[in-house]
Amino acid sequence: MYESERRELADSLSMKGIDDIYVLKAIGEVERHKFVPAGLRNHAYKDAALPIGFGQTISQPYTVAFMTQAMKLEPNSKVLEIGTGSGYQAAILFNMGMKVYSIERQMDILHATQKLFDKMGIRVYTKYGDGTIGWDEFAPYDGIVVTAGSPSVPPSLMKQLAPGGRLVIPVGDKNIQTLKIVMKTEEGTFITEDIPEFKFVPLIGREGWKEK
Ligand code: SAH
């Protein structure tokens, strides 16, 4: 189902500047309609964020593609995602052959998404908890992608990055964020690149926004 729509979505992202062929291939293959609520299936291949319930959203395909591309991953890289949500970003990474670890702080969302992963044969290591402190047990990671907006870059995530690895995280106030690409050099220093104007739901946790 929706095969031509998926191909058109990948083509449209290529036109918008996504040039990593492995990312475009994954966008063309992963069935995004399975990650959105049933009533929104017909909108699944528009380049737009959609509500998934629980006050959360599935990220816009362009944003997923851009963040994935920004990590500059090799096949078989170890990737940590913060904010499992619908599971679409994790599914894109899994499709690309990455070893994926993903943390979600809302139990009901994680349960629903884990069920979907099982049904679709998507093997992602998931954990319920606060992703702002990372997942030390499996560190270091070649890539870390944070899919919720943070007031600052959590030090724990910088620590858990492998030398040569990249952390991609939206940082700013609750309405608008700058996408930061933080690269750890082989010497353990950091180089940061800023890309303006992204919009995410808030990252809530010990090294993120405080819960009200
Ligand atoms: N990657 C998701 C985007 C989900 S929206 C996708 O592809 O659909 C962001 C998610 O981050 C929400 O589900 C929210 O509950 C979760 N979140 C917010 N703060 C978090 C934290 N500290 N740790 C883990 N997950 C968090």
Side-chain angles (χ1 to χ4, degrees):
M1 268 220 315
Y2 296 111
E3 268 160 47
S4 60
E5 284 88 344
R6 236 177 349 263
R7 214 165 315 119
E8 280 164 29
L9 174 62
D11 289 346
S12 79
L13 297 188
S14 156
M15 245 118 69
K16 289 176 187 173
I18 303 298
D19 56 10
D20 182 322
I21 54 165
Y22 298 104
V23 173
L24 292 171
K25 183 168 171 281
I27 295 278
E29 285 176 4
V30 176
E31 297 177 298
R32 189 170 187 257
H33 65 275
K34 296 193 174 161
F35 296 85
V36 306
L40 292 174
R41 296 246 150 109
N42 287 334
H43 299 275
Y45 296 101
K46 291 181 183 153
D47 188 20
L50 294 169
I52 56 169
F54 311 102
Q56 302 302 328
T57 53
I58 176 170
S59 304
Q60 184 183 342
Y62 176 80
T63 303
V64 172
F66 190 89
M67 292 177 100
T68 306
Q69 173 169 302
M71 284 189 283
K72 294 202 197 300
L73 301 164
E74 305 281 340
N76 277 314
S77 293
K78 207 200 285 179
V79 185
L80 176 65
E81 177 194 27
I82 313 302
T84 315
S86 70
Y88 180 66
Q89 168 79 72
I92 291 283
L93 291 165
F94 177 75
N95 175 283
M96 291 171 69
M98 308 303 160
K99 198 161 188 202
V100 188
Y101 297 82
S102 184
I103 308 175
E104 171 57 53
R105 69 175 285 277
Q106 291 198 54
M107 178 91 81
D108 32 16
I109 294 185
L110 187 59
H111 273 157
T113 300
Q114 184 64 59
K115 247 174 133 174
L116 183 66
F117 284 159
D118 293 346
K119 204 165 125 197
M120 293 178 72
I122 295 169
R123 289 179 303 280
V124 165
Y125 302 92
T126 59
K127 172 175 149 152
Y128 164 68
D130 176 10
T132 64
I133 58 168
W135 196 346
D136 210 19
E137 201 182 340
F138 300 104
Y141 301 95
D142 304 306
I144 302 179
V145 59
V146 182
T147 65
S150 183
S152 57
V153 182
S156 297
L157 298 183
M158 292 174 70
K159 217 172 284 162
Q160 291 175 24
L161 204 55
R166 285 179 172 77
L167 160 65
V168 182
I169 178 169
V171 173
D173 61 35
K174 282 190 181 162
N175 296 314
I176 190 92
Q177 299 94 32
T178 299
L179 195 66
K180 288 195 177 282
I181 303 169
V182 182
M183 190 195 143
K184 196 180 212 167
T185 65
E186 297 295 333
E187 294 75 39
T189 58
F190 294 94
I191 299 168
T192 303
E193 187 187 336
D194 284 358
I195 295 119
E197 306 254 331
F198 281 81
K199 184 161 177 40
F200 288 81
V201 296
L203 181 76
I204 298 164
R206 204 190 306 167
E207 296 181 30
W209 293 102
K210 300 287 158 277
E211 198 161 10
K212 293 243 173 60

